[in-house]
Amino acid sequence: MNVTLSLQAAGGSDVGLVRRRNEDAIYLGQNLFAIADGLGGHIAGDVASTTAINALSSHDQLVDPATLATTLGRAVRAANDALSQRIKAEPGLAGMGTTLVAMLRSGGTAVLANVGDSRAYLLRSSTREVGKTSQITEDHTYEHLIADAGTVPNLPERLSRFIDGRPDGRSPDITTWHLSPGDRFLLCSDGLSTYVEHHLIHAALSAGGTPSQAVDHLINSAIDHGAPDNVTVIVLDVREAESA
């Protein structure tokens, strides 16, 4: 008897308590899942995130697990190129940009790509009892580029890497994960991670229930903590399916 894995996914987004428009964009497909967070304070953040997600979504396809990393890397480059083309067509959009976190899955393997400070977390079934939810992406902020950042006065909390249509320095971090039954992944914009502490994120993920219930719990927690930013989350559960 062969054991195969399936994914159950849910996602949601909320404008938050201060912003007038939602500059996050979300994609839940068959094999590809992604969140883009348009840069706050920049022109047309909503255009940037939507343009990136639309370009990325065309790469939602079942591929050989050995080609997952190259396929997702190509998809992120396509998203960046799409911003470049949009800016060329509409010069008034120059300066727009977005973060991105995405997962592409095939069989028992998944690849994550991230640019900026949108994050991915993983709760493995083997570690739920000991309270272990891990952040599995690294924020691309200046504090992560400077040794002893905590001792540097007035260090700006700015992104060091994001997608804005330019070719230099916009490459994503790409990591490969071998899936196990019971794994629960979280993709989110910083509207969640900035305002909800890690232990509360873990509590929402480990509480059981469906991905949809976890999504609602996480978004409500961000709102309850006064999140002024847009909040977008995707929760993905890895399930075991048996077939003869």
Side-chain angles (χ1 to χ4, degrees), residues 60-166:
D60 184 6
Q61 53 191 284
L62 185 62
V63 301
D64 187 303
T67 67
L68 278 171
T70 55
T71 300
L72 189 53
R74 190 181 306 118
V76 176
R77 288 194 297 273
N80 194 57
D81 290 344
L83 264 67
S84 177
Q85 294 301 317
R86 188 70 185 267
I87 291 169
K88 287 180 181 178
E90 301 178 60
L93 297 176
M96 71 176 180
T98 184
T99 70
L100 178 68
V101 60
M103 173 191 282
L104 182 63
R105 174 252 180 175
S106 180
T109 305
V111 167
L112 282 167
N114 70 289
V115 184
D117 60 356
S118 290
R119 292 181 177 179
Y121 293 83
L122 173 59
L123 172 65
R124 304 219 94 141
S125 60
S126 60
T127 58
R128 289 193 186 192
E129 294 77 15
V130 296
K132 181 66 172 178
T133 293
S134 300
Q135 180 185 336
I136 55 175
T137 55
E138 181 179 356
D139 295 345
H140 297 142
T141 57
Y142 281 106
E143 66 175 333
H144 286 98
L145 297 177
I146 300 175
D148 300 320
T151 66
V152 179
N154 303 316
L155 181 65
E157 296 181 359
R158 292 187 298 176
L159 294 176
S160 60
R161 200 189 312 174
F162 46 87
I163 295 174
D164 64 355
R166 291 186 287 178

